[in-house]
Amino acid sequence: MTGEDTSKDAAAVSEKMDLKIQSDGKEKDEPQDGAARKGPKSIKKEEKFILKTPKGTRDQGPMQMALREHVFAIVKECFTRHGAEQIDTPVFELKQTLTGKYGEDSKLIYDLADQGGEILSLRYDLTVPFARYLAMNKIANIKRFHIGKVYRRDNPAMTRGRYREFYQCDFDIAGQYDPMLPDMECIQIACEIIKKLDIGEFVIKVNHREILNGMFNKCGVPNEKFKEICSALDKLDKSPWEEVKKEMCEVKGLAEETADKIEKFVKFNGGVELVDKFLGEDLGKNPNAKKGLEDLKLLFEYAEIYGIAQYLSFDLSLARGLDYYTGVIYEAILRQNPASPQDEGESVGSIAAGGRYDGLVGVFDAKNKSTPCVGISIGVERIFTILENRQPNDAHSGLPIRSVATEVYVCSAQKGLAKERMKICAELWANGFKVEQSFKLNPKLLVQLQYCEDKRIPFAIIIGESEIEQGIVKLKTVVTREEVEVNRKDLVATLRQKVARS
Amino acid sequence: MTGEDTSKDAAAVSEKMDLKIQSDGKEKDEPQDGAARKGPKSIKKEEKFILKTPKGTRDQGPMQMALREHVFAIVKECFTRHGAEQIDTPVFELKQTLTGKYGEDSKLIYDLADQGGEILSLRYDLTVPFARYLAMNKIANIKRFHIGKVYRRDNPAMTRGRYREFYQCDFDIAGQYDPMLPDMECIQIACEIIKKLDIGEFVIKVNHREILNGMFNKCGVPNEKFKEICSALDKLDKSPWEEVKKEMCEVKGLAEETADKIEKFVKFNGGVELVDKFLGEDLGKNPNAKKGLEDLKLLFEYAEIYGIAQYLSFDLSLARGLDYYTGVIYEAILRQNPASPQDEGESVGSIAAGGRYDGLVGVFDAKNKSTPCVGISIGVERIFTILENRQPNDAHSGLPIRSVATEVYVCSAQKGLAKERMKICAELWANGFKVEQSFKLNPKLLVQLQYCEDKRIPFAIIIGESEIEQGIVKLKTVVTREEVEVNRKDLVATLRQKVARS
């Protein structure tokens, strides 16, 4: 990225101030023991100051922000093209609002200190606050999106886009509707966004909690263990089956032969023909599995109409960790990481995921009134990571190549012309142009023009005393270095044409 | 606002669930004692659940978000028109990064719980994280903006736009430049934004910390009391002089005659002629005050060139609470609140504020290397409050009147046509139209058309069996109820024209 964004490599240490700049990547939670280090003889002698962002977080510099804005614009355009309304909720919630919603992952929730008053936690996702919002405002129907930061005290893996503070972009549909119509829309949106981002081939794994329940039942998993076995199965995308089986049997007390039966199922993945196969077999006779399989059959039918069936893969190993899902679940996976060819063939993890959660709003409702919901969350951090890695290598990627939008830079070629520059700037700003100038009274012309090149500003206006006398300015096209003289009173009109053409 | 945004009035209480919905406005920090209330006989019997957002925070519903996006767009457009780059920083910082930066207000900082690891606090403003960012990345020059939420454990006054979680929109210029050039740009930006927002007449009070220091010196305030007296003086916009004097004398131990001398100064406000007056008087002989007065003289000169001098008011009572200011300070005040005519003549508080802080980055730098900075922060929450109050009364305000951007709604007039609707939606989405449809298989036509009216969707496509047979659709303009038949293959072209004209 730009030369400014060097936080990760900054490791300068000053003995004098006893000040450390620690790389984000180093993942040291505690200040190191400073006994061997001596500060100057002052009252601050023993004070250590560490210049860093908190573990698992990072600043976003100008070029990174330009890239983020590019991705957010694509995501938002798609959400609004599908008629979504936007909402926002506070970054923290009452702790009890989050309690009991995330299963094993609840330990990753950030709590606020008790400073007298309410007990609060940072939000862990945007789904639970959405359900709280629906129940609190008694909203039965809404199609909303929400872009915001969420917080997880997870072990960060920053090079792979896993942070403790990260953005989610969620689209959800709440309301009592007919099967698979809203579910299909969520998957359609995921497809549209991933295609538009142009980050490579992808597949959308789909499964259904009811199929998993039917499968667990068939395999002999006791009812009360469904959720924890589901949560163990969810790790299959990161760990080999042997490890998952070990967790199922040794940690969660499942019989080995039960785990072996599960293994036979989770090997399967395919298209609608696999749904049909299971519908015709023993699994299809289990009422839960039957319901789930019929949902998926319909989903494939609708996907055919939308022309996206080829992206769907019914995958019995897909489990999704969160407790609250009740129906269709899905996860979009990049087939390979275009930024790292060495990863070829290996999946780089989920870039969008979601599913149906019909019970969550009811938990917050005074009368347990349920509001069926289904949603998709776009994993923008991983997308940023992919695009950041690719950006420098691909000038024709359509990605932003500059961090300012400035169209014109107003330069002076001689001393004492700052006020003349200001007059031009004022006129151009008032006419809607994006304009900058130096904040020095008498900057060198070369320094001013260098700034234009560095920031890729397309046009420079240059004034000297003779131009002022003649009532003209020089208008320079920075890239070509072509210069024309423009009458001062024609400047706005001339620039308008030039900027429109550039 | 919309019917959905009723959180403030929601007060339904269910005995059954022992569940309370508490209004944000009630400001009760603790769950009330529920001894007199009995839940059902279950293990959850004693559990109380309060459905609310944390004290001092609120959800933003769709119409509120539409308004926010409108304001953010204006602010962002202005920042980028002046060549600013965008950055972002984590919502929390190491606690020590914030320590000692906010004077008396430090007690309002939210701390995170110690869950093992680093000691963290939520950011209190965007300025200190910016200074930390500059020092950590060794950036000597930047013109950046940052839009983000900040957190203060203050006493909320939600009807006046004072929250515990609120947005700030900051523009700052860092770098060693000539006097008043960057400072002027910040004030110019504040003027442009407030004018563009069209929220009424305003004045920008300006003062200078060096003038205050000179004034305190002249009045006989001991050096070591400058900061706390400055902080007391800052309350003059909310409290009468008598109270401020009481704090100066009784709490901060100032001699009464010293306070009386201060009172004589802080009564003054005016234009550049007031600056000249003080330059020619005793105050102008104090070296600090002289430096400050000369800065302001130059500022007024530049403001004249930019055509905004009439908005500036040199005001010796302006102090700004925060410790870190070192030079020019300013605060934009609405002259009256157009939303509440009863407030006429009374100022509704600051809607933008900032100043110069040349020492803050040095605090974070290993070698105390200072980076001069000046900035402006737009108080968007107060602006939202003003616009929210005005919105329902003014259809021609230029403010958003709907929360979705949908251009076309695809309706079916008979049963069994869901898949036909899907085909049309798929084609229109692929062509970039903003399109919605019902998620019911067989929705009633009236219900579909009602939705278009409720959401102010301009066009509806209606299909029935006969239309499908003939290869046409009906295209309805919702407001006029005018209907035309369009050949299915001409639909995209026809719609493109209609949408462009609407």
Side-chain angles (χ1 to χ4, degrees), chain B residues 218-344:
Chain B
K218 281 276 162 212
C219 297
V221 179
N223 278 7
E224 68 278 10
K225 283 197 198 290
F226 277 12
K227 278 191 178 173
E228 47 181 330
I229 295 305
C230 195
S231 164
L233 187 58
D234 182 51
K235 292 164 189 157
L236 203 53
D237 59 339
K238 287 166 202 132
S239 315
W241 169 255
E242 282 314 311
E243 266 176 50
V244 170
K245 179 181 171 182
K246 210 169 154 186
E247 185 181 331
M248 287 179 176
C249 302
E250 291 176 22
V251 184
K252 301 190 164 155
L254 204 66
E256 200 164 327
E257 55 171 43
T258 308
D260 289 341
K261 285 183 191 165
I262 293 174
E263 187 192 6
K264 290 208 177 91
F265 276 108
V266 300
K267 278 179 176 168
F268 283 103
N269 65 73
V272 69
E273 74 291 344
L274 187 62
V275 180
D276 286 331
K277 170 181 135 69
F278 281 118
L279 270 173
E281 286 179 6
D282 208 32
L283 184 63
K285 295 192 182 75
N286 173 290
N288 292 347
K290 183 164 187 282
K291 157 94 173 57
L293 288 163
E294 282 170 351
D295 274 353
L296 287 196
K297 193 168 165 61
L298 193 54
L299 192 73
F300 270 98
E301 208 177 314
Y302 291 160
E304 200 64 57
I305 297 177
Y306 280 157
I308 56 171
Q310 72 273 27
Y311 298 111
L312 299 195
S313 168
F314 172 34
D315 191 321
L316 278 126
S317 74
L318 178 70
R320 305 284 302 131
L322 298 170
D323 269 8
Y324 48 63
Y325 290 117
T326 55
V328 173
I329 49 178
Y330 32 81
E331 202 165 285
I333 312 273
L334 282 193
R335 278 194 188 279
Q336 57 176 69
N337 185 345
S340 314
Q342 69 271 24
D343 286 345
E344 202 166 346

Side-chain angles (χ1 to χ4, degrees), chain B residues 80 99 113 132 168 193 196 346 393 440 444 492 500:
Chain B
T80 54
T99 303
R132 192 265 308 143
Q168 284 194 336
I193 290 173
K196 183 87 184 186
E346 189 188 321
N393 307 322
K440 301 219 171 188
K444 287 182 180 142
V492 166

Side-chain angles (χ1 to χ4, degrees), chain A residues 477-496:
Chain A
T477 305
V478 176
V479 171
T480 62
R481 306 200 173 180
E482 176 203 3
E483 244 179 53
V484 292
E485 290 188 348
V486 179
N487 210 309
R488 185 73 182 72
K489 66 178 184 351
D490 302 329
L491 179 58
V492 166
T494 308
L495 257 186
R496 196 157 279 153

Side-chain angles (χ1 to χ4, degrees), chain B residues 138-202:
Chain B
K138 305 196 175 304
I139 297 170
N141 298 288
I142 193 171
K143 188 159 59 180
R144 83 88 177 82
F145 74 98
H146 187 180
I147 296 179
K149 289 174 171 178
V150 302
Y151 298 87
R152 299 183 185 180
R153 292 179 56 255
D154 212 342
N155 221 5
M158 322 245 292
T159 50
R160 281 180 289 135
R162 202 162 79 225
Y163 296 89
R164 290 182 158 197
E165 173 187 62
F166 58 97
Y167 269 101
Q168 284 194 336
C169 301
D170 280 23
F171 170 94
D172 293 79
I173 299 169
Q176 188 73 55
Y177 298 120
D178 282 313
M180 295 304 106
L181 283 169
D183 313 60
M184 187 67 247
E185 183 116 345
C186 294
I187 294 175
Q188 164 76 3
I189 282 175
C191 277
E192 285 185 15
I193 290 173
I194 300 168
K195 282 190 213 167
K196 183 87 184 186
L197 286 168
D198 192 20
I199 46 177
E201 283 181 40
F202 64 97

Side-chain angles (χ1 to χ4, degrees), chain A residues 16 122 135 139 154 228 255 257 269 312 318 366 381-382 425 430:
Chain A
K16 182 171 162 252
L122 297 185
I139 296 169
D154 213 341
E228 44 180 332
E257 54 171 43
N269 65 75
L312 299 194
L318 178 70
E381 299 296 339
R382 284 187 184 163
C425 286

Side-chain angles (χ1 to χ4, degrees), chain A residues 183-195:
Chain A
D183 315 62
M184 186 69 246
E185 184 116 344
C186 293
I187 294 175
Q188 164 76 5
I189 282 175
C191 277
E192 285 185 15
I193 290 173
I194 300 169
K195 281 190 215 169

